[in-house]
Amino acid sequence: MAGQSQQKTLIRQNTILAAKNFLAKMDNDATPEELDMIANSVGEIALFWHLIGNPEEISLLELQG
């Protein structure tokens, strides 16, 4: 089952990166279409929107690896 655990870790890491990207694009006046594309590509949608609302938690999650 190591493969499943690794896959979950990758999905979580990609979700964290997507949240960082989304916030950066928002700061740079991204179009709604660009933001939709990022939001629609994440694996853990609940975590993604939680991080958008609580961006200070992103660095904490990155440290946890």
Side-chain angles (χ1 to χ4, degrees):
M1 293 290 169
Q4 251 184 347
S5 176
Q6 187 176 20
Q7 184 178 7
K8 286 182 182 182
T9 299
L10 289 174
I11 290 170
R12 185 173 190 85
Q13 289 172 341
N14 285 336
T15 300
I16 294 166
L17 289 173
K20 286 175 66 173
N21 188 27
F22 187 95
L23 292 168
K25 295 273 188 185
M26 276 182 51
D27 287 343
N28 291 316
D29 299 323
T31 65
E33 291 81 15
E34 289 174 305
L35 297 175
D36 277 348
M37 185 180 73
I38 296 168
N40 290 332
S41 69
V42 299
E44 291 186 47
I45 195 74
L47 174 62
F48 175 79
W49 288 114
H50 174 80
L51 293 174
I52 297 305
N54 303 281
E56 68 281 358
E57 293 183 23
I58 292 173
S59 60
L60 295 173
L61 288 174
E62 287 178 319
L63 291 174
Q64 290 176 356

